[in-house]
Amino acid sequence: MNLKLVILGAGESGIGSAILAKSKGWDVLVSDSGIIPEERVSELNSLSIPYEMQGHSKLVFENVAMVIKSPGIPDDIPLIKKFEDCDIPVISEIEFASRYSKGKLIGISGSNGKTTTSLLLYHILKNSGYDVALVGNIGYSFARALAERDYDYYVIELSSFQLDRMYDAVLHIAILLNITPDHLDRYKYSIGNYSRSKFRLTRNQTAGDYFIYCKDDHLTQEYMSCKVGEAKCIPFSICEKLNYGASLKGQYLNINLTQKNFKMTIDELAIIGKHNVYNSMAAGIAAKLIDVRNENLRDCLSDFQNDPHRLEEVSVIQDVTFINDSKATNVNSVWFALESVPGRVIWLVGGVDKGNDYSELFDLVQKKVKTIICIGEDNEKLLAEFKNFVSEIYCENDMDKAVKLAKSVASENDTVLLSPACASFDCYSNYEERGDEFKKAVNNLDGNV
């Protein structure tokens, strides 16, 4: 009997892995502890790929050569420990797909900004004529793309969970945007463990590869000793002028690499805020390393449109701006949002707290926020943290009512900002659903004005 590949989890990475594995001649079993959605069942059936759901049977341990684990499955559960005790490799979908691709891999990670930077770099490369795919944590699996065909370049958004099960994959360009406390429950509440996970980006890199990093990020600087590869290090900064890398000079963004220089004003950038200057710098460095022409890079940095749910302007109603930042599920993301948006802010915040330390927001909240509306089921921590900084704090779990309340307390030139700092699964299945509900409520409001 042939040894088989077991895939744990029937999400996008699991289904993509199954499709690629089937095309490469593997015997495959997809096993999910929950209910597999009907559309994914149909896809598996159409390819004659065996699967099981609502639990893992003994089949997952029979004649197993390798296991591909969904990033969302914790590493320390008994099922994973049992595979490891039997010396059965447990890898990520990214690791599996990399073994079948000849394309150059560009990996982008960071606690914040990785989706925007991935979308931006893909936009630059695609519109500059490169053969490129956008894959990873952004929603379309590397394995699925590769099963269709191999691309010259892959822009891969990488979460720490995906990085943890990558072993032999080599990133030609690795981008680390920042490190701030996030998902610490998966890392034994250790920022060191989490930081080392992020630096797995550089694992296996050689002297012909590149590591792009933020010189202004203190945790990145602190844990630079975790870097294990031999890549050329290229920094970016908005705080100091760099002779090599990307930095600001007045209102100009400068990229200075060996015979690959670029310059444009930050006012020309399509996306606003200091954090998006960082994102533009990182994407711009990578683009120049791939020899994107300056005119193409300038055009793409100027006309880029960001992903929904990330500082997405929904509407302006009677001079009040409504912004959907539902993807901001940690404190640092909220800091960037508050720093970026104009006017006084009515801040919609709350959800499932992941052990947040809100202290870094206190000064900014005191300066910019006039009203807080808590939208989670358990708001006691938020009320306790911010009662001394904002005089108006309300609790309203219904999004439609929360938006109506926000409009009622808003004045001309205020901004209503949904930037939750928390996960969504107390009230919603994901941040997209939460953001969509906010947009629906705003649009309903617009229609009633």
Side-chain angles (χ1 to χ4, degrees):
M1 181 178 291
N2 292 333
L3 293 176
K4 68 173 179 282
L5 178 70
V6 170
I7 298 171
L8 299 178
E12 170 60 22
S13 67
I15 300 298
S17 296
I19 294 169
L20 178 62
K22 178 82 172 181
S23 72
K24 300 300 180 183
W26 282 91
D27 287 342
V28 182
L29 172 65
V30 175
S31 181
D32 198 302
S33 61
I35 297 175
I36 302 175
E38 184 176 340
E39 64 272 15
R40 299 199 185 279
V41 168
S42 297
E43 193 169 17
L44 292 169
N45 284 334
S46 69
L47 296 168
S48 300
I49 295 174
Y51 62 89
E52 59 183 19
M53 67 176 91
Q54 294 184 285
H56 306 295
S57 73
K58 63 180 182 179
L59 292 175
V60 300
F61 296 107
E62 295 178 354
N63 302 303
V64 181
M66 188 162 60
V67 175
I68 298 175
K69 179 182 76 69
S70 165
I73 299 174
D75 288 320
D76 57 358
I77 63 172
L79 177 65
I80 302 302
K81 292 294 185 184
K82 186 171 181 178
F83 285 122
E84 293 177 330
D85 289 344
C86 296
D87 293 324
I88 297 171
V90 181
I91 66 173
S92 71
E93 169 257 332
I94 304 293
E95 171 68 21
F96 179 67
S98 73
R99 298 177 182 183
Y100 294 100
S101 175
K102 294 181 181 179
K104 290 187 175 181
L105 311 185
I106 306 166
I108 300 172
S109 197
S111 303
N112 299 291
K114 55 185 177 290
T115 298
T116 297
T117 306
S118 298
L119 286 163
L120 178 55
L121 183 55
Y122 173 73
H123 174 71
I124 293 167
L125 296 181
K126 184 70 174 178
N127 286 280
S128 299
Y130 288 85
D131 182 46
V132 58
L134 177 65
V135 298
N137 193 56
I138 205 160
Y140 193 70
S141 67
F142 182 12
R144 184 189 291 271
L146 182 58
E148 295 172 359
R149 68 178 182 88
D150 202 3
Y151 290 77
D152 292 340
Y153 292 93
Y154 293 87
V155 175
I156 311 173
E157 181 187 331
L158 290 168
S159 70
S160 56
F161 300 164
Q162 290 168 313
L163 287 164
D164 288 336
R165 291 289 171 169
M166 287 172 56
Y167 300 100
D168 299 321
V170 180
L171 300 178
H172 176 53
I173 298 174
I175 299 174
L176 180 56
L177 296 164
N178 47 60
I179 301 173
T180 60
D182 198 11
H183 302 298
L184 293 189
D185 53 330
R186 279 280 291 259
Y187 295 97
K188 300 180 179 179
Y189 295 94
S190 165
I191 190 63
N193 290 342
Y194 177 63
S195 298
R196 283 185 282 274
S197 174
K198 289 298 188 185
F199 271 95
R200 288 177 69 89
L201 281 164
T202 68
R203 185 184 178 98
N204 305 315
Q205 285 193 302
T206 67
D209 301 317
Y210 301 91
F211 175 53
I212 301 169
Y213 70 98
C214 181
K215 197 172 183 182
D216 300 339
D217 186 73
H218 75 277
L219 282 173
T220 299
Q221 289 292 102
E222 181 178 346
Y223 287 93
M224 279 292 283
S225 60
C226 297
K227 183 179 173 297
V228 296
E230 300 176 359
K232 297 180 182 70
C233 295
I234 306 177
F236 56 93
S237 169
I238 66 172
C239 296
E240 61 180 286
K241 182 181 177 181
L242 302 176
N243 292 325
Y244 184 71
S247 59
L248 293 181
K249 183 178 181 181
Q251 292 298 302
Y252 283 90
L253 186 161
N254 291 275
I255 298 175
N256 297 314
L257 305 176
T258 305
Q259 297 180 341
K260 296 179 181 180
N261 299 327
F262 174 79
K263 180 178 180 181
M264 72 181 291
T265 66
I266 58 174
D267 291 337
E268 294 177 83
L269 297 176
I271 44 181
I272 63 171
K274 290 180 181 178
H275 61 298
N276 282 321
V277 175
Y278 283 127
N279 297 338
S280 298
M281 285 178 169
I285 292 171
K288 290 310 298 176
L289 291 173
I290 301 172
D291 290 326
V292 171
R293 297 173 62 183
N294 283 352
E295 54 267 38
N296 290 341
L297 178 55
R298 180 174 289 102
D299 288 346
C300 291
L301 289 175
S302 299
D303 65 13
F304 171 70
Q305 292 185 337
N306 204 357
D307 202 27
H309 310 294
R310 189 69 186 103
L311 287 174
E312 176 189 13
E313 184 175 306
V314 179
S315 186
V316 178
I317 303 172
Q318 296 177 337
D319 296 318
V320 176
T321 302
F322 291 79
I323 293 180
N324 168 30
D325 195 39
S326 182
K327 194 170 184 181
T329 59
N330 60 47
V331 169
N332 196 244
S333 290
V334 174
W335 190 95
F336 283 130
L338 288 172
E339 182 271 332
S340 300
V341 300
R344 298 286 286 172
V345 176
I346 296 92
W347 177 29
L348 277 62
V349 57
V352 179
D353 187 289
K354 299 181 289 183
N356 288 344
D357 176 3
Y358 292 104
S359 59
E360 69 176 270
L361 296 177
F362 290 165
D363 289 345
L364 198 54
V365 167
Q366 189 170 30
K367 178 182 176 182
K368 296 196 69 171
V369 175
K370 62 181 282 186
T371 305
I372 290 176
I373 301 175
C374 301
I375 57 173
E377 290 187 347
D378 183 3
N379 300 311
E380 291 185 10
K381 182 177 179 180
L382 287 167
L383 294 170
E385 293 277 10
F386 292 105
K387 65 182 180 181
N388 295 326
F389 301 98
V390 178
S391 59
E392 292 185 347
I393 302 181
Y394 304 93
C395 295
E396 184 54 79
N397 286 335
D398 182 86
M399 185 65 78
D400 192 62
K401 292 179 180 178
V403 168
K404 288 178 180 176
L405 175 59
K407 179 61 176 68
S408 72
V409 300
S411 303
E412 184 178 340
N413 297 322
D414 284 351
T415 295
V416 176
L417 173 68
L418 170 66
S419 194
C422 301
S424 60
F425 50 83
D426 56 342
C427 301
Y428 304 98
S429 58
N430 49 48
Y431 74 83
E432 291 99 336
E433 182 183 352
R434 176 172 58 191
D436 287 339
E437 286 296 306
F438 174 76
K439 291 193 287 186
K440 180 181 177 181
V442 172
N443 289 331
N444 288 340
L445 186 68
D446 195 7
N448 292 326
V449 170

